[in-house]
Amino acid sequence: RKEVEQDPGPFNVPEGATVAFNCTYSNSASQSFFWYRQDCRKEPKLLMSVYSSGNEDGRFTAQLNRASQYISLLIRDSKLSDSATYLCVVNSGHSGAGSYQLTFGKGTKLSVIP
Amino acid sequence: DADVTQTPRNRITKTGKRIMLECSQTKGHDRMYWYRQDPGLGLRLIYYSFDVKDINKGEISDGYSVSRQAQAKFSLSLESAIPNQTALYFCATSDRDRGPYEQFFGPGTRLTVL
């Protein structure tokens, strides 16, 4: 099983739609979880951290299910500017020096269509 | 000015040449990382450094070496470039004292080895 697995998409949705991305991770010791956004040929940028209680930032909601080792990202009222690749990222949770390594999913591509 | 800068931004070279990619940061972070990104493979960790005297191999370190010249500078070298090292290379930083340890990326270097 891959460490961090995402549906590669692409997801093509109309403006105003709600879209959800899912991600599973294999390391049950993982401690920190993130969603990054990457525009074409640009660097990944942190979108939001994911907390056990779930968290919301405007139109974006992230949720974590530790028992199922599952992370989700919900985008409401999609905008054209949301078109990008969304990377699920997990702290590998190893002890010692490896504690701060991040493992990146391959990303889910979103295209929001006018 | 960008917090994490990379030079050069684009480089075309020939097989067998030695190449150095440089990364500088003004974020004051102690931890620095080098990744490569290939289509369909996502981001993979090459090397990481937790301070000036600390260097660690990542997932795919073969064919690469690094130098941490100062807290703010981390360079990646390809001693003898080969075509399968053609990729997009990213430098990233993180802060030891700032949980949950998200990473901040430079703009990337697009390397082509002919």
Side-chain angles (χ1 to χ4, degrees):
Chain A
R1 181 179 177 185
K2 296 177 183 175
E3 287 197 54
V4 179
E5 206 152 353
Q6 298 181 247
D7 182 339
F11 284 52
N12 299 314
V13 302
E15 273 187 288
T18 295
V19 60
F21 302 138
N22 302 319
C23 169
T24 57
Y25 61 95
S26 61
N27 187 343
S28 60
S30 298
Q31 297 296 317
S32 305
F33 309 89
F34 312 92
W35 284 101
Y36 277 71
R37 169 194 169 125
Q38 186 174 24
D39 293 294
C40 187
R41 301 169 77 90
K42 301 282 190 179
E43 72 272 25
K45 293 184 178 179
L46 180 67
L47 179 65
M48 58 198 305
S49 300
V50 186
Y51 301 113
S52 296
S53 56
N55 48 301
E56 186 174 311
D57 183 2
R59 297 182 293 109
F60 299 84
T61 300
Q63 293 194 315
L64 168 65
N65 183 323
R66 285 188 184 271
S68 300
Q69 296 179 207
Y70 170 96
I71 306 160
S72 66
L73 177 68
L74 184 76
I75 305 176
R76 291 181 299 277
D77 188 23
S78 299
K79 312 290 186 190
L80 296 176
S81 58
D82 293 335
S83 297
T85 296
Y86 291 83
L87 307 177
C88 176
V89 184
V90 174
N91 180 313
S92 62
H94 299 303
S95 61
S99 295
Y100 306 116
Q101 286 190 45
L102 298 183
T103 301
F104 290 78
K106 294 180 182 179
T108 299
K109 186 173 182 180
L110 172 66
S111 293
V112 181
I113 303 163
Chain B
D1 289 339
D3 295 323
V4 184
T5 57
Q6 293 183 233
T7 56
R9 294 294 311 279
N10 291 281
R11 181 73 183 267
I12 300 173
T13 191
K14 294 182 178 180
T15 297
K17 294 292 188 181
R18 185 178 187 273
I19 297 296
M20 179 179 287
L21 309 184
E22 300 193 6
C23 177
S24 295
Q25 53 114 348
T26 58
K27 298 183 77 68
H29 289 171
D30 51 341
R31 294 162 188 227
M32 299 186 75
Y33 311 80
W34 275 105
Y35 293 89
R36 67 177 279 176
Q37 187 173 38
D38 300 272
L41 293 179
L43 279 158
R44 293 182 291 168
L45 183 64
I46 305 172
Y47 270 97
Y48 61 101
S49 169
F50 284 172
D51 66 37
V52 174
K53 297 180 181 179
D54 177 81
I55 300 291
N56 303 282
K57 292 183 177 181
E59 179 186 354
I60 51 162
S61 59
D62 288 348
Y64 301 94
S65 62
V66 292
S67 174
R68 185 82 183 266
Q69 303 95 319
Q71 187 189 37
K73 296 184 182 295
F74 192 36
S75 60
L76 176 72
S77 294
L78 287 68
E79 297 301 327
S80 179
I82 56 177
N84 76 0
Q85 291 178 314
T86 293
L88 184 55
Y89 289 84
F90 289 107
C91 174
T93 73
S94 67
D95 186 346
R96 172 184 57 192
D97 296 323
R98 179 194 165 105
Y101 314 112
E102 64 266 37
Q103 294 179 13
F104 301 86
F105 286 79
T109 295
R110 186 164 297 276
L111 177 66
T112 302
V113 183
L114 301 176

